[in-house]
Each structure stands twice: as C-alpha cells, then as structure tokens.
Amino acid sequence: MSEEIELTEESSDDCCSPHNERKSHHSENTKRNLVSRLNRIEGQIRGVKGLIEKDTYCDDVITQISAIQSALNSVSKILLEGHLKGCVLDRIQEGDMEVLDEVLVTVHKLMKK
C-alpha cells in the first residue's frame, strides 16, 4: 500500500497525468511574468470601462480594446509555448498521441480570434 501512495505522490507533479487533475508546471519566473501581464490587462480593462462611462470617443475606446486583445494574445503565446515544450512533449514521449488533437483544438480556438 505504501508503494501506491508513493506513486500517487510522484504523479501529482506531472502536469498531464491521466490519473490526476492536470496542472501546468511553469517556473516561478514565468508565473510572475504572466501574473504581471494579466494585472496590467486588468487595469487596461478597468480603464476602458472608465472611458465608456465618460462617453469617450468610440475610436479611442476601440484602440484601447485592440491593445488589450494584443496583450491577451501575448499571454496566450507564452502559455502555448510552455504547454508545447512541457506537457505536450511529455505526453508524446509517453506515447499519448491524443494530445495532438487537443493541441489542434486549442490552436483552432486561438486562430478564430
């Protein structure tokens, strides 16, 4: 029974283990970078809300929204790169080719925007 506990604890570190809830395994530096970017985006969104409340000229609001979309795309690119180099690579090396379909669905979602 102690072997089962050890295996469970070991697999909990694996972001893509089919037996656990999947989790990412970003470095602390990457997490800080992503959180910082998302905090800035959050501030930009509050700013756009304020612009709308002040009846700011539509073109100016749209320009700000475009900047937010660009910032979100940058966050997505960082996450996708980490996912491909980490989770996806690990799962392919383990013989789990289903991950390719998952990635294709994700890329399709990103490209629709």
Side-chain angles (χ1 to χ4, degrees):
M1 187 154 234
S2 64
E3 287 181 28
E4 288 177 20
I5 293 170
E6 288 177 31
L7 289 175
T8 303
E9 288 174 3
E10 267 182 40
S11 62
S12 68
D13 291 337
D14 182 1
C15 76
C16 301
S17 174
H19 306 293
N20 295 329
E21 179 182 323
R22 292 184 185 164
K23 294 185 178 186
S24 64
H25 53 267
H26 302 293
S27 70
E28 288 303 314
N29 190 40
T30 299
K31 283 185 203 179
R32 279 191 301 274
N33 180 16
L34 290 169
V35 168
S36 175
R37 288 171 181 263
L38 291 169
N39 286 337
R40 280 195 301 274
I41 292 167
E42 186 178 22
Q44 287 176 296
I45 290 170
R46 281 193 302 274
V48 166
K49 181 181 173 186
L51 292 176
I52 290 171
E53 290 171 343
K54 295 176 188 172
D55 295 322
T56 303
Y57 185 62
C58 296
D59 192 57
D60 295 337
V61 176
I62 291 167
T63 298
Q64 291 304 310
I65 291 171
S66 177
I68 293 167
Q69 288 171 327
S70 178
L72 281 171
N73 285 339
S74 293
V75 169
S76 293
K77 288 175 189 175
I78 292 167
L79 287 169
L80 182 60
E81 180 180 350
H83 184 55
L84 290 172
K85 290 180 177 179
C87 297
V88 174
L89 182 60
D90 291 347
R91 287 176 62 186
I92 289 172
Q93 289 174 341
E94 293 169 1
D96 181 1
M97 301 309 284
E98 271 184 35
V99 72
L100 294 177
D101 291 330
E102 179 185 290
V103 169
L104 289 172
V105 168
T106 300
V107 169
H108 179 73
K109 287 176 187 175
L110 288 172
M111 292 178 72
K112 285 190 342 185
K113 298 177 180 180

